[in-house]
Amino acid sequence: SVQIHELREYFSEIRKTIVGEDGNSGVRLLKEHAMKNIKPLESCCFLRQLLRFYVESVFNRYTPKDSQIRRRTSSLANSFLSINRDLRQCNAHLHCQCDEETKKRIEAIQSTFEKLDVSAATVKAIGELDYLLDWIETHHHH
Amino acid sequence: EVVYGTAVPQQPCDVHFKSFNLENVLQWSPGKGNNNQTHYTVQHIIYGEEKDIWHDQKQCTNITRTWCDLSKETSDLDEDYYARVKAVLNDISSNWTESTRFNPKLHTKIGPPSLKVRAGERSIFIRLSGPKKWQFDNKTKAKSMAKYYKSLQYNVSLYNDKTKQLLYFQLKNNSETLDKLDHNTRYCVSARTKVHGQNSEPSAELCVTTPKDTSSEWLVF
């Protein structure tokens, strides 16, 4: 339902501003090892948890002053909700319960996020959306 | 600014990466008032490296030019990078000037593909490849950028020199045969690479002419 290039377009309009606001280059939330080598059966659950993290922990707490950024981040949030609705169907067909390893990956991302001050954390998480979009494009061809 | 009677050089400005087919070159402009006695030193860091340790660049320490090839240092496409430059004059250093965050895979400018064209009976065979990714040395075979961009595709244009008609179409794989064309007609083909909605410059145009219609010559009246 949601096309990756749409998400890329939304994000490309605000990337420069948001990445420029991230003054903490020493911390990366979506670390390379957290996103790599996820077992195929786990990718559905991993993505669902990650999208839920973005909707509930990131977009919900992100309060940009700029109206265009506000519009674009809400478009991204709605798209993530839509993808998650699609993924809910995978409960019926596929195994979609996270195993321990996948839970740990998500928890590691959330704990790094919680260690940062809310405003810095939300800016950093949104600034790293390219990693998530690359991952979706590689694993899910939405 | 003067320190003990010796001028402190102005920090460099406009530090940015210029990238083409993943050849990543850092460029900057001298600070105001800096002359060609000024030297520059470059460092880089991987985004997210916790200890915030900037890496020196042997090949770009105390240099007078205003660019530094960091292709090798920034070749992991799963990472983002920052670089910074300072000016040095009479052993006195300016402040560092940092680049914005650089994502090689996203920020590189992608070149046109290589194009081969061959005419057949009322047809043209087109083969596209690349563009080739930058590589450290010539020992290993250069890889196509298509290997790194799943969504890479080609936009092809076909110009009929007789009717002056221009046809556009997209190719996902790298070869195609166009048939039901006109006899004895000159066709010119050009192609662009398209990734993430961005089009490259067009490739050089290649022209071929389809053979004459030999069947009509055998008609007997």
Side-chain angles (χ1 to χ4, degrees):
Chain A
S1 59
V2 173
Q3 298 300 319
I4 274 288
H5 66 79
E6 267 174 38
L7 302 181
R8 285 207 190 274
E9 263 162 47
Y10 295 152
F11 184 51
S12 66
E13 289 170 34
I14 58 175
R15 170 191 302 114
K16 194 169 184 185
T17 308
I18 290 185
V19 167
E21 286 169 8
D22 181 356
N24 188 347
S25 63
V27 174
R28 172 173 166 172
L29 294 177
L30 306 187
K31 294 182 170 64
E32 194 184 345
H33 58 74
M35 308 287 285
K36 272 200 161 168
N37 310 322
I38 289 166
K39 291 172 238 152
L41 262 187
E42 288 297 311
S43 72
C44 169
C45 182
F46 177 76
L47 181 56
R48 282 194 72 207
Q49 299 295 321
L50 205 46
L51 294 177
R52 180 179 295 157
F53 161 70
Y54 264 91
V55 171
E56 293 169 7
S57 305
V58 180
F59 291 126
N60 262 358
R61 295 149 90 183
Y62 181 57
T63 53
K65 297 182 188 63
D66 180 291
S67 59
Q68 192 212 13
I69 291 181
R70 220 177 14 253
R71 257 197 325 277
R72 280 301 163 239
T73 44
S74 70
S75 308
L76 286 162
N78 291 329
S79 300
F80 283 11
L81 283 169
S82 173
I83 294 175
N84 249 357
R85 262 195 309 275
D86 292 348
L87 289 174
R88 206 170 295 145
Q89 289 151 27
C90 83
N91 267 346
H93 318 300
L94 300 169
H95 151 80
C96 209
Q97 299 309 321
C98 292
D99 70 8
E100 273 315 303
E101 189 203 326
T102 303
K103 282 182 192 154
K104 282 202 179 89
R105 288 173 191 259
I106 298 289
E107 279 154 17
I109 292 169
Q110 283 167 330
S111 82
T112 307
F113 179 84
E114 298 301 342
K115 282 185 193 127
L116 299 171
D117 131 271
V118 175
S119 146
T122 50
V123 160
K124 181 172 280 298
I126 296 172
E128 292 189 7
L129 277 177
D130 282 314
Y131 300 131
L132 176 54
L133 299 180
D134 282 350
W135 192 90
I136 294 174
E137 189 166 61
T138 309
H139 291 80
H140 273 266
H141 311 291
H142 261 271
Chain B
E1 196 187 338
V2 177
V3 174
Y4 310 114
T6 315
V8 176
Q10 285 286 313
Q11 63 187 94
C13 41
D14 189 23
V15 175
H16 64 281
F17 279 90
K18 189 159 177 132
S19 177
F20 184 76
N21 288 342
L22 293 173
E23 178 178 27
N24 309 322
V25 178
L26 187 73
Q27 297 180 344
W28 60 89
S29 309
K32 223 161 130 202
N34 286 1
N35 54 42
N36 43 30
Q37 301 305 314
T38 308
H39 289 68
Y40 300 98
T41 289
V42 174
Q43 291 183 331
H44 86 280
I45 193 169
I46 296 172
Y47 170 61
E49 255 185 336
E50 268 137 27
K51 286 178 242 35
D52 226 2
I53 297 169
W54 289 83
H55 307 283
D56 287 322
Q57 247 35 73
K58 223 178 9 177
Q59 83 274 23
C60 298
T61 298
N62 261 338
I63 56 173
T64 53
R65 62 179 189 271
T66 57
W67 59 269
C68 171
D69 190 333
L70 292 176
S71 303
K72 214 174 192 178
E73 290 78 7
T74 55
S75 55
D76 184 339
L77 299 189
D78 289 321
E79 301 285 5
D80 286 13
Y81 302 89
Y82 290 87
R84 66 181 186 180
V85 188
K86 70 178 180 183
V88 183
L89 185 63
N90 305 324
D91 290 335
I92 295 179
S93 298
S94 73
N95 288 331
W96 292 98
T97 303
E98 228 173 270
S99 72
T100 54
R101 193 187 306 171
F102 174 63
N103 178 314
K105 196 174 173 189
L106 208 60
H107 294 142
T108 200
K109 189 172 190 321
I110 294 189
S114 309
L115 175 61
K116 283 185 183 147
V117 180
R118 195 177 61 237
E121 192 58 37
R122 292 190 64 197
S123 69
I124 285 177
F125 173 74
I126 297 171
R127 173 178 293 283
L128 294 155
S129 61
K132 293 280 184 270
K133 172 183 180 288
W134 166 88
Q135 57 176 54
F136 311 144
D137 50 40
N138 299 332
K139 288 180 207 125
T140 52
K141 189 168 181 275
K143 296 187 180 76
S144 167
M145 296 283 273
K147 184 177 173 323
Y148 304 93
Y149 294 87
K150 268 192 186 304
S151 62
L152 185 144
Q153 53 194 33
Y154 302 112
N155 283 340
V156 183
S157 67
L158 176 73
Y159 176 71
N160 180 323
D161 203 23
K162 212 174 262 181
T163 62
K164 308 305 180 193
Q165 203 185 13
L166 188 56
L167 187 70
Y168 290 102
F169 56 93
Q170 242 172 36
L171 272 187
K172 180 65 183 148
N173 39 39
N174 52 16
S175 66
E176 184 74 55
T177 298
L178 307 174
D179 47 29
K180 300 192 181 68
L181 300 179
D182 299 339
H183 286 292
N184 188 27
T185 301
R186 184 168 178 266
Y187 287 93
C188 294
V189 182
S190 171
R192 296 171 189 262
T193 313
K194 184 180 176 190
V195 171
H196 293 164
Q198 306 284 324
N199 267 304
S200 73
E201 292 300 312
S203 69
E205 197 176 52
L206 286 185
C207 301
V208 288
T209 302
T210 51
K212 288 196 178 98
D213 178 5
T214 54
S215 63
S216 60
E217 286 162 14
W218 293 96
L219 290 183
V220 179
F221 292 95

